[in-house]
């Protein structure tokens, strides 16, 4: 699997994990590409404010063993952009829609709605580790399926936004 195919497959699977069967609408964008340095984060934040669109950036390691390495949330609010780096995907025991967990010291978590990223106060569980592992395993199963079909209309990919 090429790096580009891997990124597309993971991005599609992440959208499915977070939205289920619902479709993305204007107001939120999913981007995928390299890890963002501080200057790239500033550019992405400015772009999010200018377009008034929430952004979920999936950062990947490329090369012979490509991998999803980071999830970054950009939330433009009141002319400012709130940025959360080091986020991880989480899935409940029931296996319904996933969530985005910020770093442990950050309050709350995020839920992807079709047209925005919502900050939800509180954590969905006392112990998040099982949910983080469930999301990782679910994602691996989705990406490695040989019969997987990825719907380009379900997600947006920009290799580097800004």
């Amino acid at each position: 699997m090429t790096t580009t195919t891997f990124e597309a497959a993971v991005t599609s699977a992440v959208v499915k994990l977070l939205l289920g069967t619902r479709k993305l609408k204007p107001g939120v964008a999913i981007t995928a590409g390299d890890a963002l340095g501080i200057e790239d984060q500033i550019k992405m934040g400015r772009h999010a404010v200018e377009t008034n669109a929430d952004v979920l950036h999936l950062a990947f390691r490329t090369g012979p063993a490509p991998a999803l390495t980071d999830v970054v949330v950009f939330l433009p609010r009141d002319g400012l952009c709130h940025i959360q780096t080091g986020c991880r995907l989480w899935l409940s025991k029931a296996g319904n829609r996933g969530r985005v967990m910020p770093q442990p010291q950050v309050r709350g978590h995020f839920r992807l709605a079709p047209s925005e990223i919502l900050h939800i106060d509180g954590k969905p569980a006392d112990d998040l580790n099982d949910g983080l592992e469930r999301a990782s395993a679910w994602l691996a199963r989705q990406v490695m399926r040989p019969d997987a079909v990825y719907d380009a209309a379900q997600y947006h990919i920009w290799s580097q936004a800004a």
Side-chain angles (χ1 to χ4, degrees):
M1 184 179 287
T2 68
T3 299
T4 303
T5 304
F6 177 77
E7 287 181 11
V10 171
T11 302
S12 178
V14 167
V15 172
K16 183 178 178 182
L17 174 72
L18 298 176
L19 276 182
T21 60
R22 300 182 308 164
K23 303 282 185 188
L24 283 175
K25 296 180 181 178
V28 66
I30 309 296
T31 63
D34 295 333
L36 301 174
I38 189 68
E39 290 180 8
D40 294 325
Q41 290 176 22
I42 292 168
K43 287 178 186 176
M44 182 75 83
R46 284 184 183 147
H47 183 72
V49 169
E50 289 168 2
T51 60
N52 195 33
D54 296 347
V55 177
L56 185 72
H57 179 74
L58 306 175
F60 290 90
R61 177 182 66 226
T62 58
L68 176 64
T69 58
D70 194 11
V71 177
V72 184
V73 176
F74 295 85
L75 300 175
R77 303 292 187 267
D78 300 322
L80 301 173
C81 189
H82 304 273
I83 302 171
Q84 290 295 326
T85 62
C87 296
R88 298 195 47 205
L89 301 170
W90 182 90
L91 184 61
S92 70
K93 286 180 185 177
N96 52 8
R97 281 197 351 220
R99 309 292 175 154
V100 177
M101 294 297 129
Q103 295 180 31
Q105 73 276 11
V106 177
R107 189 186 90 228
H109 66 282
F110 302 99
R111 184 174 62 82
L112 180 61
S115 60
E116 67 180 321
I117 298 172
L118 302 168
H119 179 264
I120 309 297
D121 199 22
K123 302 289 185 197
D126 290 334
D127 182 12
L128 298 175
N129 290 327
D130 288 344
L132 297 172
E133 290 175 17
R134 276 191 298 275
S136 181
W138 184 92
L139 197 59
R141 285 191 307 273
Q142 295 299 308
V143 172
M144 302 317 276
R145 285 183 22 221
D147 62 333
V149 176
Y150 303 104
D151 178 5
Q154 175 74 3
Y155 61 95
H156 306 278
I157 297 179
W158 293 279
S159 61
Q160 196 67 279

